[in-house]
Structure formats: structure tokens, C-alpha cells
Amino acid sequence: MKGGVPPSDTFLFELQLRHAHLLLGRFELVCGCCAPVEKFHYRLHFVHSVAVMRLQNPPVNSLNLDFLTEFCITVEKLEMDKSCRGLILTSNQPKVFSAGLDIMEMYEKSPESCGEFWKAVQEMWLKLYGSNMVTIAAINGSSPAGGCLMSITCDYRIMADNPRYSIGLNETQLGIVAPFWFMDTMMNTVGHRTSEIALQLGLLYSPSEALKIGLVDQLVPEDQILTTATQTMTKWLAIPDHARQITKSMMRKPTIDKLMSNREVDIQHFVNFITKDSIQKSLGMYLAMLKKRKS
């Protein structure tokens, strides 16, 4: 098993049962007669052949190393289970889908630690962008930076129609440069010119703006987002799997191959960049601003 501990027999059994069973992160089953014993990073349940994953990493679903490791293991297991044809991603936290990469994984960390973290980010993207499953993002809150990346790796994006929410790759606002595969995913979604403006300015879009440029595919009232995602999934699953999967692979393979052939170079580039004194200072200032805002 890549990236972490193997799943328990309970997890494999629950995968086969497929209906109404609740799984929590690290693959431990929680029911009414037992309490969770550790911090869980998502809730996973199944409706027929579709897995619904509710991200749960309080307070804002930051993508840290533990979360990413668990996420990748789970997606890999779902991929291996041929009876699971679709995955819906949504949030179990109010008002936020995911705030993106955890800055604490990049601030005052060793080069080795930063490299391990970045490899996990790559793996998350590879697992989702190349998945044989139909993947739908049910975006029920704000989704900046890495949260936006996770959303646009999916086949289809449905966002809550709430003007208080935003989505976009805003890395430049933090003094960070999005890597080429972030940029390529954005360009594959909304086109080159829109991506060029959005990435240079670090723009965050309201739901209506995101719909207009094609960053999301559909807006619905917040209380209808999972219902709509389920209905949309039914339409996608009506297409023969082999035809859809081959088409998806042909469309996405060049982008995936570009990262696969440059993974180590990309990791080293990230480590060299993020450990610069000027970048660390910028991250420190941003963290101080967040701390002041909370107080």
C-alpha cells in the first residue's frame, strides 16, 4: 500500500457492503456503541455505487500531510474496488470546502519535511485527476488555493450559490507561485487568457463569477447541493464506463505525463522556493495577520 498503513479488514468489509455504512478517516468504523478515538479527517459513506466523502479537518479543512495521506489511501482503495463507480467530494465544515494547503506544513520546516509534504500534494492531484471514477465536487463553502485545485481536478463542479463564498488559485497574494501543474489544470478548465489573469493577480471569484468563466459548472441553493450532485452523478454513470474512462484518459494524459516525468524536479523546485528567507518571511507575515484577525 502506497503512502501509509494498510486498511483494516473492517474497511474492506464495509466497502463490499456499500450501503449506509459510515466510515471515518484512518478507516475506523464508528457506530452508536463506540466513540472515535482520534481526530478524523473525513466521513465516508456509500449510496449504491457512489462514495460520498465529507472533508473534516477543522476548522477549515486545511490540506496537511496527515489529511493528504489518508485521502490518497482512500481514493486508491475506492479505485481498486470496481463496484465503486463515482466519488462526490464535499465538506463537513460550515462555510468552507477547503482553505487549501496548510501553511504550517511549509513554515519553518526542514527541506526534507517540505519535500515529503509536496510529494503528498502531487499524489492527491494525480489520484483525482487521473481517476477512473466519475468525480464531482459539491462545493458548499469557500475554496481558495489548494481547495480550488482539488475542485478543478474533478470531472464536474457544483457550487453553493452564496455570494459570501469564493473560489480561485490565489497563491500570488501570499507571495507563492503556483506550480506548472496547478496552472495547467486551471488552463484546461477555463482557458489560457482567463488563467493568465487569474493566476497573476491571485483572483478569488464569487460563485456567479466562477460560473461565468467556467471555473464551476453549476450553481444551486446550498441545501440542494448534495441532491444535485447525486442527480448529476446518475447522468454521468449512464455512460458506459469504458468509453468515458478512455475519453477522460485521452484528454488528461498529456497533463498527467508532464508531472510524472518531472516529479522530482518539481519537488526540488518547491523546496528551494519555499525555504527561501523572503518566502518564509512572507508566510510568517501572513500567519501573523491571521492570528491578529482571530484575536
Side-chain angles (χ1 to χ4, degrees):
M1 180 61 58
K2 293 183 288 186
V5 297
S8 66
D9 291 338
T10 299
F11 176 71
L12 296 174
F13 176 68
E14 292 297 325
L15 272 178
Q16 295 168 2
L17 289 184
R18 188 67 46 213
H19 295 293
H21 290 116
L22 177 65
L23 292 173
L24 300 185
R26 298 193 188 279
F27 315 111
E28 293 201 19
L29 178 65
V30 174
C31 61
C33 61
C34 57
V37 295
E38 56 182 304
K39 179 181 178 181
F40 299 116
H41 290 141
Y42 56 81
R43 291 175 177 268
L44 185 68
H45 75 274
F46 298 89
V47 180
H48 303 296
S49 58
V50 177
V52 180
M53 183 184 291
R54 297 174 180 265
L55 308 182
Q56 182 174 280
N57 192 20
V60 291
N61 286 337
S62 294
L63 306 180
N64 58 25
L65 181 59
D66 285 346
F67 175 94
L68 292 167
T69 301
E70 291 176 8
F71 180 86
C72 290
I73 292 171
T74 303
V75 173
E76 184 174 344
K77 292 307 300 179
L78 294 175
E79 202 77 52
M80 292 170 60
D81 182 352
K82 299 307 178 184
S83 66
C84 184
R85 300 174 63 207
L87 172 63
I88 296 173
L89 292 178
T90 192
S91 173
N92 209 44
Q93 300 301 121
K95 302 178 182 179
V96 62
F97 179 77
S98 171
L101 305 185
D102 190 340
I103 292 179
M104 296 309 298
E105 295 281 8
M106 300 177 274
Y107 182 60
E108 295 185 342
K109 296 288 186 178
S110 68
E112 293 76 17
S113 179
C114 289
E116 183 182 9
F117 172 65
W118 197 245
K119 186 175 182 179
V121 179
Q122 291 178 337
E123 195 66 22
M124 177 271 288
W125 180 84
L126 289 166
K127 288 281 189 292
L128 272 184
Y129 204 61
S131 175
N132 281 323
M133 296 181 289
V134 176
T135 54
I136 294 179
I139 309 165
N140 54 340
S142 290
S143 189
C148 177
L149 179 71
M150 180 178 279
S151 299
I152 61 179
T153 58
C154 293
D155 298 313
Y156 196 81
R157 288 161 294 286
I158 303 166
M159 190 170 187
D161 192 4
N162 187 329
R164 293 176 297 177
Y165 298 158
S166 60
I167 184 171
L169 295 178
N170 62 323
E171 279 78 1
T172 54
Q173 291 191 27
L174 309 181
I176 299 174
V177 177
F180 69 87
W181 43 284
F182 280 50
M183 296 181 181
D184 287 347
T185 309
M186 184 77 162
M187 286 190 291
N188 291 347
T189 304
V190 301
H192 191 283
R193 180 56 179 160
T194 299
S195 297
E196 187 175 23
I197 295 171
L199 289 166
Q200 288 194 56
L201 297 179
L203 296 180
L204 289 173
Y205 296 93
S206 69
S208 60
E209 292 168 336
L211 180 65
K212 184 176 180 179
I213 67 170
L215 193 57
V216 300
D217 300 298
Q218 192 174 353
L219 300 183
V220 297
E222 194 160 353
D223 61 354
Q224 296 178 23
I225 195 163
L226 271 181
T227 300
T228 305
T230 302
Q231 293 170 345
T232 303
M233 180 66 75
T234 300
K235 296 177 182 178
W236 281 71
L237 293 181
I239 305 300
D241 283 344
H242 71 281
R244 179 191 55 77
Q245 290 168 357
I246 291 171
T247 302
K248 179 178 181 176
S249 176
M250 291 173 65
M251 295 289 290
R252 297 189 172 192
K253 189 176 186 297
T255 307
I256 292 171
D257 287 349
K258 187 176 176 181
L259 175 60
M260 288 297 293
S261 61
N262 291 281
R263 285 193 75 172
E264 293 304 320
V265 173
D266 181 62
I267 290 171
Q268 193 57 55
H269 178 77
F270 169 77
V271 171
N272 292 342
F273 178 81
I274 208 69
T275 55
K276 286 182 179 179
D277 290 342
S278 59
I279 302 302
Q280 287 293 303
K281 182 179 179 180
S282 178
L283 293 178
M285 291 173 61
Y286 180 71
L287 289 170
M289 181 192 72
L290 289 180
K291 186 176 181 181
K292 184 178 180 180
R293 186 182 299 172
K294 290 177 181 179
S295 61

